Amino acid sequence: MHILLTGGAGFIGSNFVRLLLRERPDYRITNFDVLTYSGNLENLSEIEGDDRYAFIRGDVRDAAALDKALEGVDAVVHMAAESHVDRSIMDSGPFIDTNTRGTQVLLDAWRRATGGKKRFVYVSTDEVYGSLPLENPEIKFTEATPLDPSSPYSASKAGGDLLANAYHHTFGMDICTTRCSNNFGPYQFPEKVIPLFVTNLLDGKQVPLYGDGKNVRDWLHVDDHCEAVLTVLEKGTSGEVYNIGGNNERSNLELTRSILEIMGKGEEMIRYVEDRLGHDRRYAIDAGKIKRELGWQPTRSAWPKALEDTVRWYTDNRPWWERVRSGAYQDYYANMYGG
Ligand code: NAD
Ligand code: DAU
């Protein structure tokens, strides 16, 4: 089995490559990634010599490059994306271009390569469902929840999500879609809340908590997400959507307090800052379908142990995050958080 993974140099992609090589000795994986600010081959340095792994620097918007890369490939896992909500609020152009148009270019290339007869997994997000109210904690997103994206990022992912469904319906292509909640773990770019807060604290800086800190996210360890994507790739039913989540809802204030406690810091390290525009209040995933139908459930997200391990990873890997914070990232970081 030869898999082409797009976006394999990013956070989830690099963890997926490692998991696949570890758990499927007879698989090969090609990582197709253009290396934006968040794509970093250093994330994969430990597997560079593995002859089951190959890297192609390429853009999912480049049909000719895809035609070449897809020769001899048995399945595609599509993760490449612009992934950060705050950036999409500052400039939505690259999000529409990569997440929506790039998905269309890739779907067309896969159709040319295989007639759509081989599996394509579109890694979508729970954010396509929009926001849930805090007042009804029993309500969660199911696969039947209508799409109602509310940020430029989630709208651009919903564009790809709808196209994947349309290509299955129109051309009979073998496509599954996954919609996962917030991931945490090693190699996450330190613009996302957990690595941002941990690395700020390691540098003696305060952490910028948006609004009232009551927004809720459902946290899942990245290895659980990768295992779920692999399960869908191997066992999912064509045309189906699978929610993936940790049943692990925390308000941002609870999450921040847990990080402060693990790191031995006090509440004075919290800086309440202006809220994100259009900030989604709550995400919560009902992951019953993937458990019932494919037998997947999280095994690596137990709280607070998984969070403690993640904090330790950033503590032990200062050279990694110091490097990714330098260069092109520096201006963005300075703009958003004052350096
Ligand atoms: P990331 O930003 O860490 O990585 C994205 C990767 O895509 C990078 O390596 C980047 O270089 C590559 N890329 C971007 N544009 C490209 C293009 N035009 N052509 C080829 N490669 C390109 O993102 P992530 O957090 O690892 O997210 C991966 C996927 O999972 C995304 O599709 C995201 O929407 C989805 N997702 C993320 C989460 C989460 O919590 N991080 C949760 C659910 C779904
Ligand atoms: O739900 C899945 C999504 O999770 C993925 O599709 C996205 O790619 C991923 O980035 C993530 O989106 P969020 O916007 O939820 O993640 P982020 O880490 O940016 O923010 C998490 C919460 O923390 C959110 O409520 C905003 C808040 N926050 C974030 C930052 C960066 C802060 O309070 N302060 C911050 O500085």
Side-chain angles (χ1 to χ4, degrees), residues 83 125-127 153 182 192-193 208 210 217 252 276 279:
S83 66
T125 169
D126 64 353
E127 298 201 12
Y153 161 71
N182 285 65
K192 309 286 168 33
V193 72
Y210 293 165
R217 296 294 182 266
N252 291 336
R276 173 184 280 175
H279 195 175

Side-chain angles (χ1 to χ4, degrees), residues 6-13 32-40 58-61 78-84 98-99 123-126 153 157 179-184 187-189 191-192 225:
T6 69
F11 162 51
I12 301 173
F32 184 93
D33 194 306
V34 77
L35 301 181
T36 65
Y37 76 95
S38 72
N40 180 1
D59 194 315
V60 293
R61 295 164 292 185
H78 179 32
M79 288 193 188
E82 292 291 340
S83 66
H84 192 40
T98 283
N99 300 359
V123 177
S124 189
T125 169
D126 64 353
Y153 161 71
K157 288 293 293 184
R179 297 184 186 140
C180 187
S181 61
N182 285 65
N183 284 212
F184 66 99
Y187 298 103
Q188 188 168 30
F189 201 84
E191 63 187 350
K192 309 286 168 33
H225 183 192

